[in-house]
């Protein structure tokens, strides 16, 4: 009888509930736009999950040069390096918009990964998807023009083609940041952004939000 009850409890585990409730090493914090979540060099002792908003990841070189290495959205994890023995943060995380972020301490994260198969499957699937994205980014950087790279990153930021997600306006993001992400100069980004706008591929709205249209895909597919 006890075994049946234990099995029932395991089957009732819901990752969505786990990632939306406070308990057992889980805390939820609100971050306002541009507020720092953690800084490069901080102690790495927790994994973070974005419930709402966008988060920007950046690294700073010894010479002081800053580079954007990723922009994360609702449903994304970050800071998981602590699970593999990373003692210090290798990057900084900053809220791009008002955010709601769950902090899961390392011990609690390890326990749920070992105990709950459904959550483990979800987390591994996320990591594999992100790894594929990094490989695609590398191929894009090596073989595509800066114009195509810019078009691709804008489509990704707008969630174009993501299953179950509608295209969303991109919050204010500087041309310097876009230049860092695609490996070119701000002047080249400015030139292409003006061109995209004139061709009707993008529009600027109130609050400097950027609306990306599916027609921008033609730039990526055009040889």
């Amino acid at each position: 009888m006890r075994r049946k009850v234990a099995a029932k409890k395991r089957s009732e585990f819901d990752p969505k509930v786990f990632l939306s409730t406070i308990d057992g090493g889980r805390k939820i914090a609100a971050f306002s736009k541009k507020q720092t979540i953690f800084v490069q060099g901080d102690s790495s002792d927790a994994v973070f999950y974005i419930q709402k908003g966008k988060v920007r990841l950046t690294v700073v070189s010894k010479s002081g040069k800053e580079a954007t290495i990723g922009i994360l959205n609702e449903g994304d994890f970050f800071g998981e390096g602590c699970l593999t023995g990373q003692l210090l943060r290798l990057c900084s995380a900053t809220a791009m918009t008002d955010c709601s972020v769950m902090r899961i301490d390392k011990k609690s994260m390890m326990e749920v990964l070992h105990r709950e198969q459904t959550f483990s499957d979800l987390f591994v699937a996320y990591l594999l998807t992100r790894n594929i994205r990094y490989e695609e980014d590398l191929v894009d950087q090596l073989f595509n023009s800066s114009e195509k790279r810019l078009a691709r990153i804008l489509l990704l930021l707008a969630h174009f083609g993501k299953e179950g997600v509608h295209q969303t306006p991109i919050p204010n993001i500087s041309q310097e940041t876009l230049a860092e992400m695609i490996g070119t100069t701000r002047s080249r980004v400015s030139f292409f952004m003006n061109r995209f706008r004139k061709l009707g591929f993008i529009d600027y709205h109130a609050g400097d939000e950027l609306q990306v249209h599916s027609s921008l895909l033609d730039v990526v597919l055009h040889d």
Side-chain angles (χ1 to χ4, degrees), residues 12-22 26 51 102:
E12 290 177 350
F13 178 83
D14 188 343
K16 291 182 179 179
V17 173
F18 178 83
L19 292 169
S20 62
T21 55
I22 302 172
R26 305 192 306 278
Q51 295 181 327
M102 171 171 279

Side-chain angles (χ1 to χ4, degrees), residues 8 22 35 85-86 89 94 105 108 110 122 139 146 166 169 186 193 216:
K8 185 177 181 181
I22 302 172
Q35 186 175 354
Q86 184 187 97
R89 300 292 183 192
T94 307
D105 66 42
S108 297
M110 293 294 287
L122 179 151
V139 171
S146 54
H166 297 292
R186 181 194 172 284
M193 291 293 279
L216 183 61

Side-chain angles (χ1 to χ4, degrees), residues 28-169:
I28 298 175
F31 294 90
S32 58
K33 184 178 179 180
K34 296 185 179 180
Q35 186 175 354
T36 299
I37 300 172
F38 60 71
V39 177
Q40 183 176 335
D42 281 353
S43 177
S44 181
D45 56 2
V47 178
F48 294 84
Y49 175 78
I50 305 173
Q51 295 181 327
K52 181 181 178 181
K54 290 180 180 288
V55 172
R56 178 187 176 197
L57 302 181
T58 58
V59 293
V60 178
S61 68
K62 292 182 179 179
S63 62
K65 184 178 181 181
E66 183 180 78
T68 298
I69 59 173
I71 292 179
L72 307 179
N73 304 286
E74 179 180 330
D76 287 343
F77 293 90
F78 61 101
E80 71 281 352
C82 65
L83 302 178
T84 60
Q86 184 187 97
L87 299 178
L88 301 176
R89 300 292 183 192
L90 300 182
C91 65
S92 297
T94 307
M96 287 187 67
T97 63
D98 291 341
C99 293
S100 177
V101 178
M102 171 171 279
R103 181 187 186 277
I104 312 170
D105 66 42
K106 178 181 176 180
K107 181 181 178 181
S108 297
M109 189 69 174
M110 293 294 287
E111 287 177 351
V112 73
L113 285 172
H114 284 105
R115 185 181 70 244
E116 304 295 347
Q117 186 66 48
T118 52
F119 184 81
S120 180
D121 290 345
L122 179 151
F123 188 64
V124 170
Y126 169 77
L127 293 179
L128 290 174
T129 299
R130 194 177 65 183
N131 187 61
I132 292 171
R133 162 72 188 278
Y134 285 162
E135 291 178 350
E136 291 173 344
D137 288 347
L138 179 59
V139 171
D140 188 47
Q141 189 72 29
L142 291 173
F143 298 112
N144 288 332
S145 66
S146 54
E147 182 181 23
K148 282 189 177 182
R149 297 200 302 274
L150 177 60
R152 176 176 174 269
I153 201 65
L154 290 175
L155 289 166
L156 287 171
L157 290 173
H159 303 302
F160 178 79
K162 189 173 182 180
E163 187 176 353
V165 178
H166 297 292
Q167 286 176 247
T168 58

Side-chain angles (χ1 to χ4, degrees), residues 182-197:
I182 66 173
T184 190
T185 63
R186 181 194 172 284
S187 60
R188 293 295 286 170
V189 168
S190 178
F191 173 80
F192 291 130
M193 291 293 279
N194 287 330
R195 182 170 179 234
F196 292 164
R197 182 175 55 80

